[in-house]
Amino acid sequence: MIRALVMIAALVFSAGAAQADRLKDMTTISGVRSNPLVGYGIVVGLSGTGDGNSGLTLQSMQSMLSRMGLAVEVGDINAKNAAAVMVTAELGPFLKEGQEIDVTVATVGQAKSLQGGTLLMTPLMGADGEIYAIAQGNLIVGGLGVQGADGSSVTVNIPTVGRIPNGASVERMVDSPFQDGDYLMMNLNRGDFSTAAATAEAINEVFGPDVAVALDGTTIRVRAPADPDQRVSFVGLLENIEVTPDPPAAKVVVNSRTGTVVIGGEVLVTPAAVTHGGLTVTVNEDYDVQQQATVAMNGDTTVIQPDEPIVTPDSQLYINEDPAKAFLFDPGVSLASLVDAINAVGASPGDLVAILEALREAGALRAELVVI
């Protein structure tokens, strides 16, 4: 009996916890974010799958060689085994000089594959034009491209994009406002006034009154510890507070390209009657062909000379009209009843969209209809 009670209590508490989300999963702290980096570089060591005589790659290689003290002409360079690439990376918050980050390398020229290539030293710049990291290393390419002499080719995945794990070294740290000011601003990933108020209330229950204030439907202002050394442990406790998000606004989302329809759980329908029927028209085209001929007598011999056949169109039309099916929505019909009623009449995704649009125009659909 005790074991059964313990199991029931565990299920109850786990079910209650499953309905709540951690602030770590619901919010971000203002100013604590990653920064995109980008750079232009050259990949060498390719097995004949490079850019060839691309002017961009040839000029880049000439410029690189000139910086190394070599005087070469563009005509003396062959970029068959080299490729011009763009290098991208994400500089995470609080990363220091000397730490390493992953980089992604993608071709910008005519290269067919980066398999087996090596990225030469490439500066990575931020939005302000300053260099924050240096990338270099051997590429890992998940794609494969093979081409035959007759022009036939086989491509698996994308061979023109590769990655270098820990391929860039951080050279400059991005300043963060985390240690500045008396407050931390927590921004909800999905803005909602009720959820913002509930978040502030949950924080105050843990840390005391007036510690958190909801400024709007997205931002909650939290008073930070006066001692900067306590901020990390404070945020560690803060982001593990659990809050039950308020149910989202009632929406029906329709993807016009794929025909996918998603109906939110809060969607309700006021009293309405819907009639749905289908009319199918089938046209079968056939032709009646009569062969004409000219008969002539030549002594005792009969000569038959075929003429042009006469072709007469023969069209047949079949009309099949399914009996119109009607269903009635009672006040406050839920999502399950709405879906069951529409499925009962055999509505296709296109018919479902038409029914929902008609319900919205009639004012019976208590939800926002969103078409993406």
Side-chain angles (χ1 to χ4, degrees), residues 79-231:
K80 183 179 180 181
N81 297 328
V85 295
M86 295 301 296
V87 184
T88 58
E90 289 287 332
L91 182 61
F94 310 121
L95 286 179
K96 308 300 189 297
E97 293 85 349
Q99 291 187 276
E100 296 178 338
I101 56 177
D102 299 341
V103 298
T104 301
V105 182
T107 61
V108 294
Q110 302 174 2
K112 300 297 187 297
S113 174
L114 295 178
Q115 187 74 38
T118 299
L119 175 69
L120 300 182
M121 186 172 61
T122 303
L124 301 181
M125 299 179 295
D128 56 0
E130 299 292 337
I131 297 176
Y132 287 89
I134 302 295
Q136 182 171 284
N138 298 324
L139 275 73
I140 297 177
V141 180
L144 174 66
V146 179
Q147 185 172 359
D150 61 349
S152 60
S153 63
V154 175
T155 302
V156 179
N157 296 331
I158 307 297
T160 54
V161 178
R163 286 182 61 83
I164 308 177
N166 297 330
S169 175
V170 178
E171 301 296 327
R172 177 181 298 184
M173 178 182 174
V174 178
D175 294 332
S176 173
F178 179 72
Q179 295 288 354
D180 302 333
D182 299 329
Y183 298 95
L184 296 175
M185 300 295 180
M186 303 191 68
N187 300 320
L188 293 173
N189 297 332
R190 181 180 293 275
D192 183 86
F193 285 100
S194 300
T195 304
T199 301
E201 182 178 354
I203 295 174
N204 290 332
E205 289 179 357
V206 175
F207 294 104
D210 301 328
V211 172
V213 177
L215 300 181
D216 51 41
T218 300
T219 304
I220 299 96
R221 187 185 66 186
V222 182
R223 187 169 68 246
D227 187 358
D229 296 336
Q230 298 180 359
R231 291 206 175 192

Side-chain angles (χ1 to χ4, degrees), residues 273-330:
V274 178
T275 302
H276 174 78
L279 178 65
T280 304
V281 179
T282 304
V283 180
N284 290 332
E285 292 289 351
D286 198 0
Y287 297 93
D288 183 12
V289 181
Q290 295 183 358
Q291 180 64 51
Q292 302 295 317
T294 300
V295 179
M297 299 296 295
N298 184 8
D300 297 334
T301 304
T302 302
V303 179
I304 301 177
Q305 180 66 35
D307 294 337
E308 291 292 332
I310 298 177
V311 180
T312 304
D314 184 12
S315 302
Q316 296 180 348
L317 278 70
Y318 302 95
I319 300 177
N320 180 25
E321 183 176 7
D322 296 332
K325 300 178 181 179
F327 48 91
L328 176 66
F329 290 124
D330 295 327

Side-chain angles (χ1 to χ4, degrees), residues 12 21 63 67 92 123 240 267 321 327 358:
V12 170
D21 295 337
S63 176
R67 290 197 300 270
N240 283 289
V267 175
E321 183 176 7
F327 48 91

